[in-house]
């Protein structure tokens, strides 16, 4: 299929609208409202953002849901914490955030989580948590707002991304020992899988993830995005934020094996609607 002819001003608008925090599906919807045929709008958006057309033709569940705002460089001061944007990728939207957590907050989260660690869980087809052979770590979940520290971090993320705190799943803490990893996976829920309706009934589709590094492993343990050839180094107090749409293949990522030392992370997943635990 030939590339669509795109006026420079439309190309500029698509890029600017995406950088403002609107996902590709939302950009297509806005173009539809402006009079563009949906198939043409999808081709134009896919071409400008250099993403597979399949991302935009995937089943789009509740695309009117809320989307997160992508942090803008160079930095923002949130809750007295200076959060610096050290790296930006446009498609998918990825931001490396330095200083999201203070060193004391990292240590306190680890201390609060340690007594409750167990074999790490993933979400099964019915929305319940289950063990997964791809994830070889120990972990636990905090309830939303469970402790003053958790509430403070949740509010900081909400302010940074312009998302209400009730759109977040409970904060998960994971501990990886040498050789442990989380193999390549997507955070969005696959509409073709059994149980999709049950999972998304609790808050809609996942739309973004924030992975916070609570320590610096001696070696290994970064977050890899294989489709982009990008690995984010795990550095204490920093985080990687990435947003995605249903079917977004470029958001494939993995927790690389820890080769020396250990790794502690905290993960916050965001939903398009208020999350019901």
């Amino acid at each position: 299929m030939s590339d669509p002819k795109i006026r420079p001003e439309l190309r500029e608008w698509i890029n600017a609208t995406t950088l403002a925090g609107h996902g590709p599906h939302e950009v297509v919807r806005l173009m539809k409202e402006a009079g563009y045929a949906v198939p043409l709008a999808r081709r134009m958006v896919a071409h400008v953002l250099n993403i597979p057309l399949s991302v935009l033709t995937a089943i789009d569940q509740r695309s009117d849901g809320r989307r997160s705002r992508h942090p803008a460089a160079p930095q923002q001061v949130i809750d007295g914490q200076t959060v610096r944007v050290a790296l930006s990728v446009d498609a998918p939207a990825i931001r490396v955030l330095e200083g999201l957590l203070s060193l004391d907050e990292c240590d306190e989260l680890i201390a609060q989580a340690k007594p409750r660690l167990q074999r790490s869980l993933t979400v099964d087809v019915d929305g319940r948590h289950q063990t997964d052979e791809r994830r070889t770590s120990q972990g636990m979940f905090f309830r939303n707002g469970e402790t003053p520290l958790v509430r403070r971090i949740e509010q900081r993320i909400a302010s940074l991304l312009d998302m209400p705190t009730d759109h977040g799943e409970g904060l998960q803490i994971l501990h990886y020992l040498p050789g442990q990893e989380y193999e390549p996976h997507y955070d969005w829920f696959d509409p073709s899988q059994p149980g999709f309706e049950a999972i998304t009934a609790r808050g809609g589709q996942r739309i973004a993830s924030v992975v916070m590094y609570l320590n610096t492993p001696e070696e290994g343990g970064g977050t890899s995005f294989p489709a982009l050839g990008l690995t984010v180094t795990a550095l204490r107090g920093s985080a990687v934020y990435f947003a995605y749409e249903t079917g977004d293949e470029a958001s494939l990522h993995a927790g690389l094996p820890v080769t020396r030392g250990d790794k502690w992370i905290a993960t916050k997943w965001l939903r398009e609607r208020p999350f019901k635990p």
Side-chain angles (χ1 to χ4, degrees):
M1 185 180 294
S2 61
D3 293 335
K5 293 188 180 352
I6 304 173
R7 302 189 312 275
E9 57 269 27
L10 178 58
R11 183 184 297 272
E12 182 179 350
W13 177 86
I14 291 173
N15 281 318
T17 304
T18 303
L19 290 173
H22 298 280
H25 286 79
E26 176 68 7
V27 176
V28 170
R29 186 185 67 79
L30 293 171
M31 291 178 67
K32 176 185 175 184
E33 291 179 355
Y36 287 89
V38 170
L40 177 60
R42 285 174 175 160
R43 287 176 54 211
M44 287 179 165
V45 171
H47 181 72
V48 171
L49 300 182
N50 193 28
I51 59 177
L53 184 60
S54 59
V55 169
L56 294 172
T57 54
I59 297 173
D60 191 9
Q61 298 288 329
R62 301 176 178 178
S63 61
D64 60 335
R66 183 141 182 173
R67 293 294 182 267
S68 52
R69 176 184 62 200
H70 310 325
Q75 64 185 34
Q76 292 176 251
V77 178
I78 307 289
D79 182 33
Q81 193 80 4
T82 301
V83 181
R84 295 173 294 278
V85 179
L87 179 143
S88 297
V89 176
D90 293 337
I94 299 175
R95 303 290 187 270
V96 174
L97 306 172
E98 295 182 346
L100 181 62
L101 302 180
S102 72
L103 302 188
D104 287 343
E105 288 172 334
C106 293
D107 293 343
E108 189 177 347
L109 268 181
I110 292 173
Q112 291 183 9
K114 270 184 177 179
R116 294 161 56 180
L117 292 177
Q118 58 182 345
R119 175 68 188 273
S120 297
L121 304 174
T122 57
V123 179
D124 70 7
V125 296
D126 295 318
R128 297 185 299 263
H129 291 103
Q130 65 174 5
T131 58
D132 188 329
E133 293 304 317
R134 296 174 302 166
R135 175 179 279 180
T136 56
S137 59
Q138 286 193 313
M140 55 81 65
F141 282 90
F142 286 106
R143 298 186 306 276
N144 279 334
E146 181 174 339
T147 72
L149 173 62
V150 170
R151 285 197 298 274
R152 185 165 72 245
I153 293 171
E154 288 173 342
Q155 184 56 61
R156 187 178 304 155
I157 292 172
S159 298
L160 180 66
L161 304 181
D162 191 26
M163 290 288 292
T165 56
D166 64 359
H167 282 239
E169 298 180 30
L171 191 67
Q172 185 186 44
I173 309 298
L174 292 176
H175 183 216
Y176 292 84
L177 295 173
Q180 294 183 329
E181 63 182 314
Y182 191 7
E183 295 177 1
H185 61 283
Y186 303 105
D187 282 355
W188 46 266
F189 301 120
D190 188 344
S192 68
Q193 293 300 307
F196 174 79
E197 293 295 335
I199 295 172
T200 54
R202 301 173 62 193
Q205 179 65 280
R206 281 178 176 169
I207 59 169
S209 306
V210 183
V211 179
M212 295 160 272
Y213 305 107
L214 306 183
N215 77 321
T216 302
E218 291 181 50
E219 188 175 297
T223 302
S224 169
F225 294 85
L228 305 177
L230 172 68
T231 295
V232 177
T233 303
L235 296 174
R236 184 182 177 200
S238 67
V240 58
Y241 155 86
F242 51 104
Y244 34 80
E245 301 281 346
T246 304
D248 186 352
E249 297 177 356
S251 68
L252 183 73
H253 61 286
L256 297 179
V258 177
T259 51
R260 281 200 302 156
D262 63 349
K263 179 177 76 169
W264 289 86
I265 63 171
T267 302
K268 172 64 77 171
W269 290 286
L270 302 177
R271 299 283 191 110
E272 60 184 350
R273 286 178 172 74
F275 176 68
K276 302 170 186 176

